[in-house]
């Protein structure tokens, strides 16, 4: 682990653009005597949910093309990384400088066509070379080569993202649909199997499995259409929220509140909102 003078007290004169200022801020937050009680209680495990939330907020700022928000959310995400590094430094494992050094070396090593003499024809060749370099790195660490095609796809990924990655891994070895028609047929087949679980007497576990199969087949359809399934669902969520907000506003303009007894009115307004969008 490298030694860094990152524990100096941040002051009003500290350069807010310098990474050392942020390192000093986090060090103070984690100071056993003068730090923040909340920050001192945290561990890498406890802040994982916040890290995932910050990553999604970065994605939302990008989708909204909001540069001010994008800048702020990147800062929030960077804070998470510095906090992780500080916790590791406290355990004598590594520090922020080691994190920066490791990623810089890795990117240089994995881009020999940029920083070396290698010549790669296109992005497909780059991806293939990247995978071969990763395999060599694993071998250099004494790790065994992946025994199975789907090994190494992180289980902590969002389900839609992980489904797409699993499908892409299988597709690399030829286990894939030949055309969109076959994928669409599979979606219809899975929908029919879901419909077969509608009776109340059906085992809930079976219903769970059939809904999962339907969602998995929808991810397959999105992949074959060149659509990011996670992004598509985020957009659908935003569209639903926007439309329902209009329904709610118009309902209240009429002196009504969203409620089951006003379902017909809500459906009429929903249809109108969609028509106005078109």
């Amino acid at each position: 682990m490298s030694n860094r003078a990152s524990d100096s007290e941040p002051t009003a004169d500290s350069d807010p653009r310098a990474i050392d200022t942020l390192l000093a801020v986090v060090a103070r937050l984690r100071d056993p005597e003068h730090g923040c009680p909340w920050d001192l209680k945290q561990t890498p495990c406890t802040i994982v949910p916040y890290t995932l939330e910050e990553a999604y907020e970065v994605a939302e700022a990008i989708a909204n093309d909001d540069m001010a928000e994008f800048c702020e959310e990147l800062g929030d995400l960077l804070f998470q990384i510095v906090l992780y590094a500080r916790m590791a430094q406290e355990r004598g494992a590594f520090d922020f400088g080691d994190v920066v050094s490791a990623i810089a070396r890795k990117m240089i090593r994995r881009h020999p066509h940029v920083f070396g003499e290698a010549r790669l024809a296109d992005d497909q060749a780059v991806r293939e070379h990247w995978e071969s370099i990763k395999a060599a790195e694993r071998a250099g660490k004494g790790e065994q080569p992946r025994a199975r095609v789907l090994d190494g796809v992180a289980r902590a990924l969002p389900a839609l993202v992980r489904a797409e990655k699993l499908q892409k891994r299988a597709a690399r070895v030829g286990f894939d649909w030949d055309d969109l028609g076959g994928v669409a047929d599979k979606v219809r087949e899975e929908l029919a199997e879901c419909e077969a679980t509608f009776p109340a007497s059906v085992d809930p576990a079976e219903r769970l499995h059939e809904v999962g199969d339907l969602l998995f087949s929808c991810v397959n359809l999105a992949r074959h259409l060149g659509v990011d399934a996670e992004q598509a669902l985020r957009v659908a969520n935003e569209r639903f929220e926007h439309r329902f907000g209009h329904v709610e506003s118009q309902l209240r303009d009429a002196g009504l509140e969203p409620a089951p007894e006003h379902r017909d009115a809500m459906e009429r307004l929903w249809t109108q909102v969609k028509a106005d969008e078109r």
Side-chain angles (χ1 to χ4, degrees):
M1 182 181 74
S2 62
N3 294 316
R4 294 181 57 89
S6 59
D7 289 357
S8 59
E9 188 79 5
T11 70
D13 296 327
S14 299
D15 180 0
R17 297 179 65 89
I19 190 64
D20 281 342
T21 300
L22 180 57
L23 293 172
V25 167
V26 173
R28 177 58 187 269
L29 291 173
R30 293 280 298 180
D31 184 274
E33 294 183 12
H34 306 292
C36 169
W38 186 90
D39 288 280
L40 285 168
K41 286 178 61 178
Q42 304 312 307
T43 68
C45 290
T46 64
I47 65 171
V48 164
Y50 301 104
T51 307
L52 295 174
E53 181 179 345
E54 296 299 350
Y56 280 116
E57 289 178 356
V58 168
E60 183 174 352
I62 293 171
N64 294 337
D65 195 25
D66 186 334
M67 289 296 104
E69 188 72 12
F70 187 21
C71 180
E72 181 176 347
E73 297 302 344
L74 283 176
D76 290 343
L77 187 57
L78 177 59
F79 175 81
Q80 300 284 312
I81 295 168
V82 173
L83 184 55
Y84 280 120
R86 179 67 195 186
M87 292 174 179
Q89 182 178 348
E90 292 166 359
R91 295 172 59 180
F94 59 84
D95 67 8
F96 184 76
D98 297 318
V99 174
V100 173
S101 175
I103 188 59
R105 290 198 306 269
K106 180 188 288 186
M107 289 301 103
I108 292 171
R109 185 171 64 249
R110 292 187 180 180
H111 291 81
H113 54 294
V114 176
F115 301 103
E117 302 300 321
R119 295 292 178 265
L120 301 174
D122 51 33
D123 64 326
Q124 179 61 34
V126 169
R127 285 195 295 270
E128 291 172 358
H129 199 59
W130 177 281
E131 291 298 330
S132 67
I133 292 173
K134 286 174 64 177
E137 289 172 354
R138 288 193 294 269
K141 293 177 183 177
E143 298 178 14
Q144 294 297 318
R146 290 194 180 111
R148 299 182 299 178
V149 172
L150 303 182
D151 284 352
V153 180
R155 295 183 179 276
L157 287 170
L160 291 180
V161 175
R162 189 164 191 266
E164 183 174 352
K165 286 184 175 292
L166 290 171
Q167 291 169 8
K168 286 181 176 178
R169 284 282 188 90
R172 286 182 195 167
V173 295
F175 191 73
D176 201 4
W177 298 96
D178 293 327
D179 53 49
L180 273 168
V183 184
D185 287 343
K186 184 62 175 176
V187 172
R188 285 188 282 268
E189 175 189 327
E190 296 297 349
L191 177 58
E193 292 179 3
C194 272
E195 291 174 341
T197 69
F198 285 2
S201 59
V202 170
D203 183 347
E206 181 182 351
R207 188 176 291 125
L208 176 74
H209 292 157
E210 295 302 343
V211 171
D213 288 346
L214 176 61
L215 291 172
F216 193 84
S217 66
C218 287
V219 173
N220 232 333
L221 180 63
R223 180 173 62 87
H224 277 263
L225 287 169
V227 172
D228 182 299
E230 185 76 19
Q231 176 66 13
L233 186 55
R234 283 201 297 269
V235 170
N237 289 341
E238 292 294 329
R239 191 165 60 244
F240 179 85
E241 184 178 15
H242 173 77
R243 289 173 175 173
F244 192 82
H246 279 290
V247 168
E248 190 171 6
S249 295
Q250 293 181 44
L251 199 65
R252 285 179 173 152
D253 287 344
L256 302 174
E257 289 292 326
E261 60 267 27
H262 300 139
R263 177 175 174 178
D264 289 345
M266 288 191 290
E267 290 185 351
R268 285 196 303 272
L269 289 169
W270 179 270
T271 300
Q272 185 59 52
V273 167
K274 291 178 63 178
D276 290 345
E277 288 179 355
R278 289 193 292 269

